[in-house]
Amino acid sequence: MGITAIAVGDSAIKVNFAGKVSYELNAAIQMYSKKLEEASIPGVVEWVPAFNSVTVYYQPKQVSFHILIKKLYDLHEVPISSEKIKSRIIQVPVLYGGEYAPDLQRVAEHSQLEINEVIDIHQNQEYLIYMIGFLPGFPYLAGLDKRIATPRLEEPRGKIYAGAVGIANEQTGIYPVESPGGWNIIGKTPLRLFDRTEFLFQTGDYVKFHRVNKDKFLELESQIKNNRFKVSIVER
């Protein structure tokens, strides 16, 4: 799987990976990110994996563009064991329906399914986090069953609440903060996706949704507010 590297401004290089966005391509991006971590290249500040690329940010005073771009190409050829790539499964409770699901009926009608069928299908998958973006901590999740894939809203909403779980075409995701948006909202999670020091999700993790009722949702919301809740995370 080949790469091409190009300048992005004066302090970043975007490493593009050839091929269609897929689980295999995502695995290659995860391995390249691991190589960057192990290489500890002087001057490199951070890197951001995306659907088909990794953008590497650096300090030009510490490493020149020409030296770094050669290192990035060389790094691609360095062998690495897939066993070094660890991923986690994160359990995400969701209150589907009611006031927190203004578009659940729309998804059901588009899919020609009953509402409970949509919910069952949505929570029956393990979703790979392809990338984090759009908003701090927003996970773009792959693996949505095509039976419930639904186009974005023709007119985006001016405000969507934090924790909203949505569907847009063949992806699902979670809004980490209040924001405008055009995804079909089918439920809400009480989890906090990020704070000032830590993000809940990482690229390469998996998300597993599970349905909770209103009482359980309010209980979890209270526990989270009072720092008495621990998110269920297991190694995959």
Side-chain angles (χ1 to χ4, degrees):
M1 191 173 290
I3 64 169
T4 56
I6 60 173
V8 183
D10 60 359
S11 59
I13 296 174
K14 186 175 184 180
V15 181
N16 294 297
F17 287 72
K20 185 178 180 180
V21 175
S22 63
Y23 282 66
E24 292 74 21
L25 181 60
N26 183 265
I29 289 172
Q30 296 308 314
M31 286 192 282
Y32 191 81
S33 296
K34 185 64 177 179
K35 292 178 189 179
L36 281 167
E37 179 185 337
E38 294 186 345
S40 298
I41 301 172
V44 169
V45 179
E46 62 177 341
W47 50 92
V48 180
F51 283 117
N52 59 358
S53 66
V54 178
T55 301
V56 180
Y57 294 87
Y58 66 99
Q59 293 286 355
K61 291 183 178 180
Q62 296 182 36
V63 59
S64 73
F65 168 79
H66 296 290
I67 290 176
L68 179 57
I69 204 166
K70 183 180 184 305
K71 287 180 179 291
L72 295 178
Y73 275 111
D74 291 344
L75 197 62
H76 181 59
E77 303 302 324
V78 174
I80 185 172
S81 170
S82 59
E83 294 181 356
K84 289 190 174 185
I85 310 304
K86 305 296 183 181
S87 64
R88 309 173 300 168
I89 302 175
I90 302 171
Q91 298 288 334
V92 176
V94 179
L95 176 60
Y96 292 96
E99 62 185 299
Y100 296 130
D103 303 310
L104 184 54
Q105 182 65 43
R106 178 176 186 267
V107 173
E109 290 175 357
H110 180 270
S111 306
Q112 298 183 330
L113 296 168
E114 297 296 324
I115 284 177
N116 280 332
E117 290 179 301
V118 172
I119 294 171
D120 287 343
I121 292 170
H122 187 261
Q123 67 173 351
N124 195 40
Q125 307 291 325
E126 286 183 359
Y127 298 95
L128 172 64
I129 301 178
Y130 267 157
M131 62 173 284
I132 306 291
F134 168 51
L135 296 167
F138 186 105
Y140 284 87
L141 306 176
L144 183 71
D145 193 305
K146 291 183 179 180
R147 288 178 292 171
I148 58 173
T150 306
R152 294 170 181 263
L153 302 178
E154 292 183 4
E155 184 174 340
R157 290 188 174 88
K159 182 168 67 174
I160 293 177
Y161 47 80
V165 177
I167 289 173
N169 300 312
E170 293 185 14
Q171 289 192 110
T172 187
I174 310 169
Y175 284 76
V177 294
E178 187 178 283
S179 166
W183 291 45
N184 299 278
I185 305 306
I186 63 171
K188 181 179 181 180
T189 179
L191 298 185
R192 294 174 179 168
L193 273 58
F194 87 105
D195 57 29
R196 294 182 179 180
T197 60
E198 186 176 6
F199 288 87
L200 176 59
F201 300 131
Q202 300 174 12
T203 303
D205 284 340
Y206 286 79
V207 168
K208 184 71 169 66
F209 296 108
H210 64 93
R211 186 178 192 176
V212 296
N213 60 26
K214 184 66 173 290
D215 289 342
K216 184 63 175 179
F217 177 88
L218 293 175
E219 177 187 339
L220 293 174
E221 200 171 45
S222 175
Q223 290 177 359
I224 291 167
K225 182 179 180 180
N226 293 292
N227 297 315
R228 293 187 290 107
F229 178 77
K230 185 175 181 179
V231 179
S232 175
I233 301 175
V234 297
E235 294 293 329
R236 191 174 190 276

